[in-house]
């Protein structure tokens, strides 16, 4: 299974994927890591492993559509089995999404459909929920609305801040994302409408 990973920042989920590959828990190859942020630590992590990297920065494009077109072309030329959004903070437009139906996977730090969008962990703390978690889902044209593949629950402590909760959720993200990618690689994930079955 060949993957393209899109990441905007720290890249700890990318690291978890690379580590799972190294351990032999994930049978995959990362063909390229692409970022919208030239400063992303994810790029350095990838380069350190000899993985090809590319920056597609918004400032070089006139419009969202142009950005999405350039990104889609780059990815089409690579022809990965899956595109993994690992902390990719840009919303991809419908033109992009349509080209890769059920081929784009995102990790989100809440139990969707609760707390979509930015700062999900802060939203959870401020709402006062007792359980949050993380979700790996296929990407559709909405914001964090695509079919859910897998979720892990994480308790919220009474004295949690957004930061302490984010740390606890992140530990689960690092297990969940590689595990889901392995299931995809094994062809064990089927989607019917919104419902995802793991066999
Ligand atoms: C992760 O917590 C991921 O779930 C979140 O950004 C963080 C990236 O961390 N993604 C979103 O909020 C997407 N809406 P990382 O760069 O260390 O993997």
């Amino acid at each position: 299974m060949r993957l393209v990973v899109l990441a905007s920042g720290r890249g700890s989920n990318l690291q978890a994927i690379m580590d799972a590959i190294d351990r032999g828990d994930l049978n995959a190859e990362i063909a390229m890591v692409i970022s919208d942020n030239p400063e992303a630590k994810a790029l350095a992590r990838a380069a350190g492993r000899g993985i090809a990297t590319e920056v597609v920065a918004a400032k070089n494009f006139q419009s969202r559509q142009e950005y999405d077109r350039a990104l889609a072309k780059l990815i089409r030329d690579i022809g990965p089995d899956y595109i993994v959004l690992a902390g990719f903070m840009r919303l991809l437009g419908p033109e992009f999404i349509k080209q890769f139906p059920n081929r784009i996977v995102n990790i989100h730090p809440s139990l969707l459909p609760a707390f979509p969008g930015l700062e999900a962990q802060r939203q959870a703390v401020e709402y006062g929920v007792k359980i949050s978690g993380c979700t790996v889902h296929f990407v559709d044209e909405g914001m964090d609305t695509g079919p859910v593949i897998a979720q892990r629950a994480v308790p919220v402590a009474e004295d949690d801040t957004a930061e302490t909760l984010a740390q606890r959720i992140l530990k689960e993200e690092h297990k969940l994302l590689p595990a889901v990618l392995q299931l995809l690689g094994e062809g064990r994930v089927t989607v019917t409408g919104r419902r995802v079955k793991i066999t």
Side-chain angles (χ1 to χ4, degrees):
M1 172 173 61
R2 293 174 74 242
L3 306 173
V4 165
V5 178
L6 271 54
S8 298
R10 180 178 54 190
S12 72
N13 277 292
L14 166 68
Q15 187 70 50
I17 295 168
M18 296 190 302
D19 291 348
I21 291 172
D22 287 352
R23 283 198 309 271
D25 291 342
L26 173 56
N27 186 13
E29 176 210 338
I30 303 175
M32 185 178 275
V33 172
I34 305 173
S35 186
D36 56 335
N37 169 18
E39 307 298 328
K41 195 171 167 208
L43 292 169
R45 290 184 198 258
R49 299 265 178 135
I51 296 169
T53 63
E54 203 63 70
V55 175
V56 185
K59 68 171 170 35
N60 300 331
F61 299 91
Q62 304 278 6
S63 66
R64 182 174 289 275
Q65 282 96 321
E66 256 188 56
Y67 182 96
D68 285 0
R69 246 172 252 150
L71 186 63
K73 176 164 181 358
L74 178 62
I75 295 174
R76 269 201 321 270
D77 289 347
I78 301 164
D81 297 292
Y82 289 97
I83 301 163
V84 185
L85 308 188
F88 189 65
M89 294 315 204
R90 267 184 79 84
L91 196 60
L92 295 164
E95 239 189 84
F96 182 95
I97 306 296
K98 272 196 208 108
Q99 296 187 48
F100 309 100
N102 292 340
R103 293 278 152 189
I104 312 171
V105 172
N106 182 44
I107 178 127
H108 184 79
S110 74
L111 292 177
L112 289 170
F115 315 127
L118 292 176
E119 297 204 70
Q121 305 94 331
R122 184 172 307 282
Q123 294 183 57
V125 167
E126 285 175 2
Y127 195 94
V129 292
K130 302 299 185 192
I131 296 177
S132 191
C134 52
T135 301
V136 177
H137 64 95
F138 288 114
V139 175
D140 68 6
E141 290 169 28
M143 157 104 84
D144 300 324
T145 54
V148 171
I149 306 170
Q151 297 182 301
R152 290 247 174 118
V154 172
V156 182
E158 285 171 3
D159 59 356
D160 260 336
T161 61
E163 290 71 29
T164 57
L165 178 59
Q167 276 309 317
R168 198 174 311 113
I169 292 175
L170 201 58
K171 284 199 189 133
E172 293 305 317
E173 294 185 41
H174 294 164
K175 294 182 221 160
L176 189 62
L177 183 56
V180 167
L181 293 173
Q182 178 60 20
L183 292 171
L184 287 165
E186 291 173 8
R188 293 170 58 191
V189 180
T190 52
V191 194
T192 314
R194 284 207 54 84
R195 302 190 69 182
V196 176
K197 221 184 228 173
I198 314 255
T199 49

